[in-house]
Amino acid sequence: MSAPDHPARHKGIFRALRRNPLDLLAFGLFALICLIAVLGPLLVPHDPLATDTAVALQPPSASHWFGTDQLGRDLFSRVVVATRLDLLIALGAVALSMVAGSVLGAIIGYWGGVLDTVVSRLVDVLMAFPLFVLAMALVAALGNSVANVVYATAIVNLPFYIRLARSELRPRRALGYVEAARAGGSGDWRILWRHLIPNIAAPLVIQASVNLGWAMLNAAGLSFLGLGVRPPTPEWGIMVAEGARFIGSGQWWIVTFPGLALMLAVLAFNLLGDALRDLLDPRLRR
Amino acid sequence: MTRIGLRVLSAIPTLFGVVVITFLLTRVLPGDPAVFFASNPSMSASDIAAVRENLGLDRPLYDQFLIYLGNLAQGNLGRSIATGQPVAAEFARRLPASAELTLLAFLLAVVVAVPLGLVAALRPGSLVDHAVRLIATLGVSMPTFVSGLLLIHVFYFRAGVLPEPIGRLDPFLFEPARVTGFLTIDALISGEGQVFRAALLQLLLPAVTMALFALAPLARMTRAAMIAALGSDFIRTARAAGLSRGRIVLIYALRNAMLPVVTTMGMVFSYMLGANVLVERVFSWPGIGAFAIDSIVNLDYAPLQGFVLVMAAIFIAVNLVVDIVTVLIDPRAED
């Protein structure tokens, strides 16, 4: 993106940020979540795995801010410590599908031909499945593990990146700078890596930031169903699933706090995606 | 019309691709299905071999695929290990439960989201507009399984105005005679007011939960499409010609804005098919999603395979309908 020797562009970004306080909130929330994810275990008052049946199912209090679950574990500690895992799953899945999808989309967009036809048809077929259902089936097929939740989430998102990279790249194949590079003796791969992929990066990054919130919801939904993360690992989706049994008998806190954490994180990602789109898309920035 | 015909034909290769992927998915599934079928410890190695032969598992993958296709053509989705019943029969029994829930949720979302988006578009930047944007952003950020559980807490546990989330009908009531499989409609047909009321109350919370999630993209798209339509030349012309505001907004602008909204509806429906699984789990809803989840837990793969196939087929059909509707409401799309 922008090199540090472009003060004008930075000023534009800062001005745009200041004008829209919601964007500032999004960046703030995102920074906070990253900080909690990194520091997680250092911040919490209790061991997130330590059970103590003497204090099971207690509502929020001064000693247990978010209350305790059916095994007497401190929910505040569990919610905080879970941040890292939830964030890593979402980031890992989105990074995987963005990199793999961009490269594949760029290659078929550049060369076209039979490979393009085959991959495009495959993408059409993948997009014919409801995303969450396909992710569910993939985790069941690949095996019930956290890594496979990441792969499944990445695979179901792959088509969007392939399509986007392909459609962004195609019209650029014949542009002046590509011709110039070719005249200068650059080979196809060099043109692709050095000239074309950097030029289509912005829309792909925007797509990735919009995608993060969805990836997190998808992964948490899978673990809510018992796929991927296993107890007693603290993870928001599985914590909600554990609390679901108690919602009909009034212990609301077991579901509410991990649920709120999940919602806040997804909200931060969605706002961040909107903000990045406004900032990086010069057509929208005025 | 040729355009519609071509579109219908183009769905066939996609459907075939879906069948291939669904088939391959179950072949990479861990474990040997024959060993699952022959889970009886008294079975010898030769018995297991017999089961394998019976299932066609000893033949090359290509043959196995043909057998699978042949079974599909006869409507045979295999047999569930857990229930011992054909998967297709179980689906037929459960599909109305899922369909009733999803359709009501979709209807709720459209009825609320389109007017919301419309009002926001008429006054961009106003308090209403900001409120709609806030609702929309919160809506997409809220996991369905969390909002469902919180709604249960508030309306069942706290307020006590809605029944316990234990399926489609109070266990003390008898299901109405089956006509459509939709309990509310069947109750109306057989004239059982009490059953209708009970079934509707059970439906309400899961439907609202799903609708909340679907609301956001629909409201957003309606707003954007209406703003675009209201700013276009033909609306300016209509204004200059002195047409009434209501007529301009509701007839000319809305009709033109419906095109992207209908496309979004197709996308929203895909979300809902996925969210269905989570909502059915939360509300103990006896639909096909709950069946699929139980089957994953029991390592029972035929129902899961059938589920994925049925969902993809429904989704392809929905997209087909959306495209056809698009052609019908936009004459420009017809060649």
Side-chain angles (χ1 to χ4, degrees), chain A residues 112-127:
Chain A
V114 182
L115 187 69
D116 181 24
T117 315
V118 170
V119 174
S120 295
R121 289 311 295 177
L122 199 66
V123 162
D124 288 346
V125 171
L126 274 186
M127 291 187 85

Side-chain angles (χ1 to χ4, degrees), chain B residues 61 66 225 239:
Chain B
L61 205 58
L66 288 183
R239 283 219 175 96

Side-chain angles (χ1 to χ4, degrees), chain B:
Chain B
M1 277 307 122
T2 48
R3 210 186 135 91
I4 293 178
L6 283 177
R7 181 63 189 82
V8 173
L9 283 180
S10 79
I12 293 171
T14 312
L15 193 60
F16 183 74
V18 162
V19 172
V20 173
I21 290 192
T22 316
F23 169 77
L24 288 176
L25 262 181
T26 42
R27 298 302 129 158
V28 295
L29 284 172
D32 183 340
V35 178
F36 282 123
F37 274 97
S39 55
N40 190 336
S42 66
M43 284 189 101
S44 66
S46 63
D47 290 334
I48 291 180
V51 174
R52 285 178 66 84
E53 202 185 324
N54 196 16
L55 291 170
L57 291 172
D58 54 339
R59 298 195 217 165
L61 205 58
Y62 179 74
D63 278 1
Q64 288 186 38
F65 181 63
L66 288 183
I67 295 172
Y68 178 63
L69 270 189
N71 283 337
L72 268 189
Q74 295 164 24
N76 180 0
L77 292 173
R79 214 171 256 279
S80 159
I81 304 167
T83 62
Q85 296 295 312
V87 171
E90 187 75 23
F91 275 180
R93 211 167 57 75
R94 286 170 173 260
L95 197 58
S98 298
E100 189 177 26
L101 172 58
T102 313
L103 289 176
L104 181 67
F106 185 67
L107 204 69
L108 273 178
V110 171
V111 164
V112 176
V114 171
L116 269 186
L118 207 133
V119 171
L122 288 179
R123 292 187 174 72
S126 69
L127 208 62
V128 185
D129 186 23
H130 285 302
V132 170
R133 183 177 308 160
L134 185 73
I135 294 171
T137 313
L138 286 178
V140 281
S141 307
M142 194 74 172
T144 39
F145 50 97
V146 176
S147 48
L149 288 167
L150 293 182
L151 285 174
I152 291 174
H153 179 74
V154 171
F155 290 97
Y156 163 65
F157 182 77
R158 293 270 153 182
V161 289
L162 288 174
E164 197 178 352
I166 43 163
R168 300 179 79 186
L169 200 60
D170 188 316
F172 292 106
L173 288 174
F174 289 105
E175 284 196 13
R178 181 163 173 145
V179 184
T180 59
F182 288 17
L183 289 188
T184 46
I185 294 177
D186 286 354
L188 282 183
I189 290 174
S190 53
E192 294 169 80
Q194 195 198 357
V195 175
F196 172 76
R197 214 182 96 87
L200 192 65
L201 285 180
Q202 293 283 359
L203 256 175
L204 209 54
L205 273 191
V208 167
T209 305
M210 278 176 84
L212 275 180
F213 192 66
L215 210 68
L218 282 175
R220 269 191 170 187
M221 188 45 85
T222 309
R223 177 183 179 276
M226 274 304 281
I227 286 181
L230 285 170
S232 59
D233 288 344
F234 67 88
I235 294 294
R236 204 181 48 200
T237 310
R239 283 219 175 96
L243 292 181
S244 76
R245 189 175 159 82
R247 194 178 166 80
I248 289 173
V249 170
L250 289 179
I251 298 187
Y252 294 98
L254 187 62
R255 213 160 81 186
N256 279 277
M258 274 331 274
L259 212 55
V261 174
V262 168
T263 311
T264 313
M265 282 181 188
M267 200 187 69
V268 163
F269 208 84
S270 152
Y271 285 164
M272 292 178 75
L273 290 180
N276 215 358
V277 183
L278 293 166
V279 173
E280 285 184 5
R281 169 72 152 230
V282 167
F283 290 92
S284 314
W285 200 256
I288 56 173
F291 184 47
I293 282 301
D294 290 345
S295 71
I296 291 184
V297 174
N298 297 330
L299 299 175
D300 186 1
Y301 291 113
L304 179 67
Q305 187 181 28
F307 175 69
V308 173
L309 198 62
V310 168
M311 286 304 229
I314 294 175
F315 187 34
I316 291 175
V318 167
N319 278 333
L320 201 60
V321 170
V322 166
D323 284 357
I324 291 172
V325 167
T326 307
V327 172
L328 291 181
I329 61 179
D330 183 13
R332 281 171 310 180
E334 172 81 73
D335 295 325

Side-chain angles (χ1 to χ4, degrees), chain A residues 234-259:
Chain A
E235 192 277 338
W236 296 331
I238 209 163
M239 289 170 72
V240 172
E242 284 169 355
R245 283 192 285 146
F246 299 98
I247 200 76
S249 51
Q251 284 91 356
W252 53 271
W253 53 91
I254 313 178
V255 162
T256 307
F257 291 109

